[in-house]
Amino acid sequence: MSSEHSQSHIVPATTTLKVFLALIFLTIATVITARINLGGAWNIVVALSIACTKAILVFLWFMHLKYSNVVNRVVIGSALFFLVVFLVLTAADVFYR
């Protein structure tokens, strides 16, 4: 086994703290926007945008995907792609009945 695979990237504590604070801010933004009526489908759009941003932050920093090899990125990317495909197909089935 080469030493290249046995070493991991160390994220500075300041970066972890910044990501943590961003997640706290986005959680507060989620609570605030849930209490505001933006009209129509905008509530869903804003809520999903905030949730996706939080998920990306968790994927990149806390799951160390940002510093991972290409294979892990492809696996996560393909899983997210198929999730979107299944959600679109389900929405198409529900909305066009």
Side-chain angles (χ1 to χ4, degrees), residues 34-48:
R35 297 174 186 262
I36 299 172
N37 185 10
L38 300 174
W42 284 106
N43 285 358
I44 295 171
V45 170
V46 170
L48 286 177

Side-chain angles (χ1 to χ4, degrees), residues 3-44:
S3 63
E4 174 184 329
H5 296 291
S6 64
Q7 295 178 355
S8 63
H9 184 80
I10 299 174
V11 179
T14 56
T15 302
T16 304
L17 182 63
K18 288 177 186 176
V19 172
F20 175 72
L21 291 175
L23 289 171
I24 294 296
F25 172 77
L26 289 170
T27 301
I28 292 169
T30 302
V31 171
I32 291 172
T33 57
R35 297 174 186 262
I36 299 172
N37 185 10
L38 300 174
W42 284 106
N43 285 358
I44 295 171

Side-chain angles (χ1 to χ4, degrees), residues 64-81:
H64 302 283
L65 193 60
K66 182 175 180 182
Y67 305 107
S68 183
N69 60 15
V70 177
V71 175
N72 290 341
R73 292 179 188 178
V74 169
V75 169
I76 296 292
S78 63
L80 292 175
F81 172 75

Side-chain angles (χ1 to χ4, degrees), residues 23 50-60:
L23 289 171
I50 293 172
C52 287
T53 304
K54 291 186 335 185
I56 288 170
L57 287 174
V58 170
F59 281 156
L60 290 178

